[in-house]
Amino acid sequence: MEDYTKEVEQELYFWKHKMTRRSGRISRAAKNVQTKINGLIPEKFHQVMTESIKNMVKATLVGSDITTKKRLPLELSLYERDELLKEKLSTFRKTAVMEGAGTGAGGILLGLADFPLLLSIKMKFLFEAAAVYGFDTDDYEERLFLLHIFLLAFSSEDKRKDTLFIIENWEEQKYLIADMNWRDFQQEYREYIDLVKMFQLLPGIGAVVGAFANYNLLDQLGETAMNSYRLRLLHSDEKRS
């Protein structure tokens, strides 16, 4: 177990470096374009999108909690928890791929349905991840942590750095957070997925793009969730020792 913990600590070191490094030129250019586009969109639209995604996420949180098994026994090792999460990720990834291919093949109308469907798959996965690592999502603070994992997975360079700091120092930071900044949440998420999802609406290639995009988005979320919960567990062990 000690050898596995050292292996995890090394993986966390490289993962944190990846999450905080400067984005490539293409990513920065895409971000600049998206920022300019958002600047042209009326404020009323941003308000509507913020409320819509806020309500959508909150509804998904309630539904996911009902269908999620309660947290696993505390005596499971970190290795066992990691392996279990990998199994669950594989299942959720397959579901997301089928959903992306199906909505992508259906043209614009079904393509638009992809957004809430994929969001619900991601949220359900995060509830399962919390249970795997022994955290109770009946607690409000655990749902906030879950949302910060989501934000860390799908956000821009600057927001990633801020969110990673919060996750690394959750036991102190949670007392400073009353609720999510829903405006930032929806804007970061939309900007992260908008470009690739537009291609999903194109006839002929929508199914392939949808399947490929959803596979990678679930992969990104899985890696972020695993490492975020690893950080918390290792920090807890450090405080107890």
Side-chain angles (χ1 to χ4, degrees), residues 4 7 35-36 55 59 63 82 94 104 110 113 116 121 126 130 153-154 159 202 206 211-212 219 231 238:
Y4 185 70
E7 180 183 328
T35 300
K36 289 178 182 178
N55 293 332
D82 284 352
K94 290 174 184 175
L110 273 182
I121 293 170
L126 286 176
F154 307 117
K159 182 58 68 173
L202 297 177
F212 180 76
D219 237 20
L231 279 175
E238 287 175 4

Side-chain angles (χ1 to χ4, degrees), residues 22-40:
R22 184 174 170 82
S23 301
R25 282 187 294 179
I26 295 177
S27 297
R28 293 199 303 273
K31 170 67 175 174
N32 289 336
V33 170
Q34 196 71 48
T35 300
K36 289 178 182 178
I37 292 173
N38 278 324
L40 299 174

Side-chain angles (χ1 to χ4, degrees), residues 169-238:
N169 301 279
W170 181 250
E171 292 306 314
E172 296 78 28
Q173 290 293 311
K174 66 184 179 183
Y175 298 110
L176 306 177
I177 304 170
D179 196 4
M180 287 299 294
N181 183 326
W182 290 103
R183 172 67 176 264
D184 283 354
F185 186 93
Q186 64 87 15
Q187 193 159 312
E188 290 289 335
Y189 182 51
R190 279 176 43 226
E191 289 182 6
Y192 191 94
I193 69 171
D194 269 356
L195 190 59
V196 67
K197 286 300 180 180
M198 279 195 294
F199 288 106
Q200 188 175 332
L201 303 179
L202 297 177
I205 65 169
V208 176
V209 172
F212 180 76
N214 285 8
Y215 182 97
N216 284 295
L217 290 170
L218 258 294
D219 237 20
Q220 175 72 11
L221 184 61
E223 179 187 43
T224 307
M226 176 180 285
N227 286 315
S228 295
Y229 282 116
R230 281 170 158 182
L231 279 175
R232 281 189 72 183
L233 290 179
L234 292 179
H235 283 178
S236 296
D237 289 344
E238 287 175 4

Side-chain angles (χ1 to χ4, degrees), residues 20-203:
T20 55
R21 71 187 176 196
R22 184 174 170 82
S23 301
R25 282 187 294 179
I26 295 177
S27 297
R28 293 199 303 273
K31 170 67 175 174
N32 289 336
V33 170
Q34 196 71 48
T35 300
K36 289 178 182 178
I37 292 173
N38 278 324
L40 299 174
I41 295 174
E43 176 61 24
K44 184 64 176 178
F45 176 84
H46 287 299
Q47 292 174 359
V48 170
M49 285 300 297
T50 297
E51 281 302 308
S52 297
I53 292 179
K54 174 182 176 180
N55 293 332
M56 194 185 305
V57 170
K58 287 192 171 183
T60 304
L61 289 176
V62 173
S64 297
D65 188 46
I66 292 172
T67 58
T68 300
K69 294 180 181 179
K70 294 306 175 184
R71 57 183 176 173
L72 298 177
L74 294 176
E75 58 266 20
L76 285 180
S77 68
L78 180 58
Y79 173 79
E80 290 171 318
R81 294 180 191 278
D82 284 352
E83 290 302 305
L84 182 54
L85 187 70
K86 290 174 185 176
E87 292 175 13
K88 289 184 177 292
L89 176 60
S90 178
T91 300
F92 276 88
R93 201 164 43 203
K94 290 174 184 175
T95 302
V97 166
M98 289 189 290
E99 184 274 321
T103 54
I108 292 177
L109 290 180
L110 273 182
L112 294 175
D114 174 71
F115 189 92
L117 289 174
L118 181 59
L119 184 63
S120 67
I121 293 170
K122 290 172 179 174
M123 288 298 171
K124 172 62 177 168
F125 169 75
L126 286 176
F127 270 83
E128 293 288 344
V132 164
Y133 287 98
F135 295 98
D136 188 355
T137 50
D138 284 342
D139 295 341
Y140 176 71
E141 66 183 48
E142 291 305 331
R143 298 187 186 212
L144 275 180
F145 186 78
L146 182 151
L147 290 174
H148 280 84
I149 293 175
F150 188 97
L151 185 60
L152 180 60
F154 307 117
S155 60
S156 61
E157 178 184 335
D158 290 339
K159 182 58 68 173
R160 278 201 310 271
K161 292 177 181 178
D162 293 341
T163 309
L164 180 58
F165 176 82
I166 291 172
I167 282 178
E168 279 198 276
N169 301 279
W170 181 250
E171 292 306 314
E172 296 78 28
Q173 290 293 311
K174 66 184 179 183
Y175 298 110
L176 306 177
I177 304 170
D179 196 4
M180 287 299 294
N181 183 326
W182 290 103
R183 172 67 176 264
D184 283 354
F185 186 93
Q186 64 87 15
Q187 193 159 312
E188 290 289 335
Y189 182 51
R190 279 176 43 226
E191 289 182 6
Y192 191 94
I193 69 171
D194 269 356
L195 190 59
V196 67
K197 286 300 180 180
M198 279 195 294
F199 288 106
Q200 188 175 332
L201 303 179
L202 297 177

